[in-house]
Amino acid sequence: MPVNLFVMKKIRVSVISYLNTVPFLYGLCNHAVKDVIDIKLCTPSQSASDIISGKTDVAILPSAIIPELGEDKIISDFCIGADGKVASVLLCSNKPIEEIDHLCLDIDSRTSVVLAKILMRNHWKKSVTYSSCDYTNDIPDSLSSCLLIGDKALRYSYKFSYVYDLAEEWIKYKSMPFVFACWASYRKLDNTFINEFNNALKYGLSNIPKAVDFYSTGFDRDFSLDYLSNNISYPLSPDKRKGLSEFWSLAPEELKSKVRRRR
């Protein structure tokens, strides 16, 4: 069924501006649903803040934010997930994990921060101190141990002797895939729109080479295709939903919202 093009107000959609969302972006911009949406590019933390404050209607949200909205607010069968190495959520250091006593946490994604803390505490059995770091404009200091996410992880991990892939470490720890972000909405959306929205995402995932060619990502084409095809797992499968539930159960205090909910 076609999208109703007579919608009075366009639906605002926030898309995280990382390489891993390029297929989604391509689908949304090259499908009929484009006529009823306004797209905003943002960081994971911005998408979370915007949807909770009501500045956007639909967003690809860090998984750590979903309990604040409710699991029933997930509207798509697609996600940013991993069932092996994700390559773009990395603990990077010039010390082995046994010698790390302080970790700088990338402020862009609460999910990766919570995951790093879970793994430190439960998987590596480490007690360390943390600080928040903004790597938006600054290159990570190779003298520090740091959590890097998204395109920053892909660009700068070579600077470090020890690189721990947090999706891979989660799978070692729990034998479950991991979900970093889900499509969700606070707004009550028409089922026709949700179906067409999902069709647009599916279209993008079916055309990853075209998506890479369409957008300038700053990465080599072959590298981008390999990463999107082999590191990111997009279907929000039952196993991934189980992994989500397990993740949420392991950090009830850390998952309490730090973002003011709209009223």
Side-chain angles (χ1 to χ4, degrees):
M1 184 180 296
V3 178
N4 180 6
L5 299 181
F6 297 99
V7 175
M8 293 296 292
K9 186 177 180 182
K10 286 192 174 183
I11 294 171
R12 301 164 297 175
V13 177
S14 293
V15 182
I16 295 168
S17 56
Y18 288 163
L19 175 59
N20 56 30
T21 60
V22 161
F24 289 151
L25 188 60
Y26 181 81
L28 293 173
C29 291
N30 290 276
H31 182 277
V33 79
K34 70 181 184 298
D35 295 322
V36 296
I37 62 175
D38 279 327
I39 293 175
K40 173 186 176 181
L41 298 179
C42 59
T43 66
S45 58
Q46 288 168 340
S47 74
S49 177
D50 284 352
I51 202 165
I52 289 176
S53 63
K55 293 179 181 178
T56 196
D57 301 308
V58 176
I60 179 94
L61 286 178
S63 299
I65 300 299
I66 300 299
E68 174 71 3
L69 276 69
E71 189 175 355
D72 62 320
K73 299 301 190 294
I74 296 173
I75 64 164
S76 176
D77 298 326
F78 301 105
C79 67
I80 301 294
D83 49 22
K85 289 185 178 182
V86 73
S88 52
V89 181
L90 306 175
L91 193 163
C92 300
S93 181
N94 281 313
K95 301 176 182 179
I97 196 74
E98 296 79 14
E99 297 178 14
I100 294 174
D101 54 17
H102 181 81
L103 185 62
C104 300
L105 300 170
D106 191 328
I107 64 171
D108 267 357
S109 174
R110 198 163 139 212
T111 297
S112 300
V113 166
V114 174
L115 177 59
K117 291 181 177 181
I118 288 173
L119 291 173
M120 275 292 186
R121 181 173 64 236
N122 298 347
H123 177 50
W124 287 308
K125 309 297 184 183
K126 291 278 296 178
S127 178
V128 303
T129 58
Y130 299 100
S131 61
S132 298
C133 300
D134 186 351
Y135 298 117
T136 304
N137 299 311
D138 297 327
I139 296 174
D141 181 359
S142 61
L143 297 179
S144 302
S145 300
C146 51
L147 170 68
L148 298 179
I149 68 165
D151 293 2
K152 291 164 283 186
L154 297 175
R155 286 194 173 101
Y156 299 124
S157 63
Y158 76 91
K159 293 165 58 74
F160 299 88
S161 302
Y162 297 90
V163 176
Y164 300 89
D165 187 299
L166 294 200
E168 181 181 38
E169 297 299 329
W170 167 265
I171 293 165
K172 288 179 185 176
Y173 170 49
K174 280 295 174 182
S175 300
M176 293 178 171
F178 194 79
V179 176
F180 290 95
C182 302
W183 288 101
S185 177
Y186 246 146
R187 179 175 169 180
K188 177 65 175 175
L189 297 169
D190 183 84
N191 286 335
T192 299
F193 171 79
I194 293 174
N195 290 337
E196 291 301 301
F197 187 83
N198 273 287
N199 287 338
L201 301 179
K202 185 177 181 179
Y203 177 77
L205 294 174
S206 299
N207 289 279
I208 287 176
K210 290 182 180 179
V212 169
D213 291 339
F214 192 77
Y215 295 103
S216 176
T217 64
F219 294 99
D220 176 81
R221 184 178 190 274
D222 289 341
F223 174 87
S224 298
L225 291 175
D226 181 66
Y227 167 70
L228 295 173
S229 301
N230 297 315
N231 292 114
I232 306 300
S233 178
Y234 291 102
L236 184 54
S237 63
D239 283 347
K240 287 202 185 77
R241 287 183 178 270
K242 289 178 183 178
L244 265 178
S245 295
E246 184 66 14
F247 169 62
W248 294 331
S249 75
L250 290 171
E253 291 301 313
E254 287 144 328
L255 291 175
K256 286 182 179 177
S257 178
K258 297 178 182 178
V259 185
R260 187 175 182 84
R261 183 194 287 254
R262 66 179 177 178
R263 300 195 182 276

